[in-house]
Amino acid sequence: MESNPAVGGLPPEAQLMSLLMGNYTLQMLATAVRMGIFDQLSELPTAVQSVAERAGTLPDPTYRLMRALTVIGALVEQPEQRFSLGPLGQLLRKDAPCSFASFTLNNAAPWGAEASWTLLHSMKTGESGFRSRFGKGLFEWLSEHPE
């Protein structure tokens, strides 16, 4: 049996680590969307202090979040704690032609995680995990919870 080639040139351990960290990555991106970080930045580097002031957050944790977002290509760090948008960050601006901002917030919502916890129930019973957790189907539930 032939093994699968490394995705993106990464060894299996790095691929698995990336998958296992997915929820943390999603929550970082969603937090940055909620803070308006991607909407504040452009091609011109912007100081962390300015981003934090506009977002109503503390500068030090804002800096740590923004540095973490450089690892995945959402932001680019410049000298003197200034940042600009990376390729992924461009897609997370609300005014982007193909914005992923709402999709990111939707996927990071607590109900999504709760629904995913029901997968084993579905595997054992054949029932909809979402329905077992929320008492109705996904689209019916979403129509009642537009937020």
Side-chain angles (χ1 to χ4, degrees):
M1 185 158 116
E2 194 174 318
S3 67
N4 291 329
V7 175
L10 296 175
E13 297 83 0
Q15 292 175 53
L16 184 57
M17 181 62 83
S18 178
L19 291 170
L20 294 173
M21 296 299 291
N23 185 54
Y24 296 106
T25 303
L26 173 59
Q27 293 303 327
M28 287 189 314
L29 290 167
T31 298
V33 168
R34 285 186 203 103
M35 290 171 62
I37 289 176
F38 304 112
D39 295 321
Q40 289 186 49
L41 300 179
S42 64
E43 300 301 321
L44 301 173
T46 303
V48 167
Q49 183 69 36
S50 173
V51 172
E53 284 175 15
R54 286 192 234 150
T57 58
L58 298 171
D60 287 342
T62 299
Y63 177 64
R64 290 192 298 274
L65 173 62
M66 292 176 76
R67 285 212 32 156
L69 292 170
T70 66
V71 175
I72 60 170
L75 300 178
V76 176
E77 186 171 12
Q78 308 291 338
E80 300 177 9
Q81 293 190 352
R82 299 172 77 78
F83 290 83
S84 57
L85 289 175
L88 298 182
Q90 295 282 355
L91 296 170
L92 291 162
R93 289 179 57 92
K94 291 177 184 148
D95 64 356
C98 183
S99 177
F100 280 75
S102 293
F103 186 68
T104 300
L105 294 176
N106 194 46
N107 282 330
W111 61 264
E114 288 182 44
S116 71
W117 300 333
T118 65
L119 182 58
L120 183 58
H121 172 80
S122 295
M123 297 295 100
K124 290 181 176 182
T125 66
E127 298 172 358
S128 161
F130 193 93
R131 186 176 297 284
S132 74
R133 170 63 184 88
F134 293 97
K136 51 189 71 174
L138 171 64
F139 294 107
E140 181 183 0
W141 188 87
L142 285 174
S143 71
E144 297 171 6
H145 299 85
E147 68 285 349

